[in-house]
Amino acid sequence: IAARGVRDPLTLAALRKVPRHRFVPPASVGQAYEDYPLPIGHAQTISQPYIVGFMTEALGLRGGETVLEVGTGSGYQAAVLAQIAGRVFTIEIVAPLAESAAATLRSLGYANVEVRAGDGYAGWPEAAPFDAIMVTAAAPRIPEPLKQQLKDGGRLSLPVGDEWQELVVITRRGDRFEEKRVLPVRFVPMTGKVRQ
C-alpha cells in the first residue's frame, strides 16, 4: 500500500494495527491480507486495503477528530479511522451487518466507535458537525445533508456515479464546497433515500 502511494504515517500505522482477519467471514480469513475486496454477505464487500488507505489519507486526519462514516459494512474502515480519530460515528443500512460490526468492534476494544443501523443519507445530525465524513458506497449524487454536517475546513470523501464511479473529495470553505475528483473506483451502490 505504501508502494502504491499512500504516504500518510498515521494511515499506514492504523492499517498495520487493525486485524483485518477479524472483519471478514471465516471462509475468507486466508485472504484477509490480500489487496482486493472480499464479500461479507448481504451483497456487500469489505474494501481492498489500498482503497481503505487511500480514502483514509484523503480525509487529512491529524488525530483526535470527530468522523462520520456512512456504510459500516464489516466495521473494518471504522476501526482504521478509530486508530486516528477521537470519535467515529458509523451508519449501516443493512441491520444485521450493523449488529455484527458493532459486536466485532466492541470485542476488539474500540470504545470510541458508535454504530447505528439506518440510512446514512441524512447523516448523524445530533453528533454534527464533523471534521471529516467518509461514504463507502457509491452515490448517484452527493447527499446535501452530509455536506451541511461538515465543519468549516472539513473534508468529505465519497465515490460518485453508477456504472462509472470516481472518488470525490469535498472540502468545506464557509458556504463554498470545493470538489476534487481523485481516483476511478468500484464500490457497491449506496441504497435508501439517495436513490429517490
Side-chain angles (χ1 to χ4, degrees):
I1 291 163
R4 288 187 65 186
V6 175
R7 295 271 180 267
D8 173 46
L10 291 175
T11 298
L12 293 171
L15 289 168
R16 288 188 184 105
K17 275 191 200 134
V18 178
R20 193 168 186 258
H21 65 276
R22 296 287 300 273
F23 295 92
V24 301
S28 302
V29 165
Q31 299 164 281
Y33 295 96
E34 299 300 328
D35 195 23
Y36 46 75
L38 293 166
I40 54 169
H42 306 277
Q44 303 299 305
T45 58
I46 180 173
S47 294
Q48 75 179 96
Y50 169 70
I51 289 293
V52 170
F54 187 95
M55 286 182 75
T56 302
E57 181 177 63
L59 292 179
L61 302 176
R62 289 291 151 255
E65 294 89 350
T66 301
V67 178
L68 172 66
E69 179 196 28
V70 174
T72 316
S74 68
Y76 176 67
Q77 175 72 76
V80 171
L81 292 169
Q83 293 284 354
I84 307 169
R87 294 192 75 192
V88 177
F89 295 85
T90 181
I91 307 172
E92 172 54 56
I93 202 165
V94 181
L97 280 179
E99 285 161 31
S100 65
T104 303
L105 289 160
R106 254 196 322 273
S107 75
L108 291 169
Y110 287 100
N112 61 335
V113 181
E114 201 171 324
V115 182
R116 171 187 281 182
D119 188 340
Y121 179 84
W124 199 312
E126 60 275 34
F130 297 99
D131 297 294
I133 299 174
M134 181 188 290
V135 181
T136 59
R141 64 181 186 283
I142 298 157
E144 192 59 36
L146 297 184
K147 286 166 67 175
Q148 297 307 326
Q149 287 174 35
L150 266 186
K151 274 185 191 165
D152 194 6
R155 290 185 184 186
L156 164 62
S157 166
L158 80 164
V160 177
D162 283 316
E163 206 50 49
W164 301 101
Q165 302 167 9
E166 275 188 299
L167 188 65
V168 177
V169 178
I170 294 150
T171 306
R172 182 170 195 165
R173 308 269 183 226
D175 292 331
R176 286 186 314 109
F177 294 90
E178 294 171 4
E179 273 184 41
K180 204 166 135 197
R181 296 177 177 271
V182 290
L183 190 74
V185 288
R186 288 293 296 159
F187 275 83
V188 294
M190 186 174 178
T191 56
K193 193 173 176 188
V194 77
R195 297 284 157 188
Q196 289 165 12

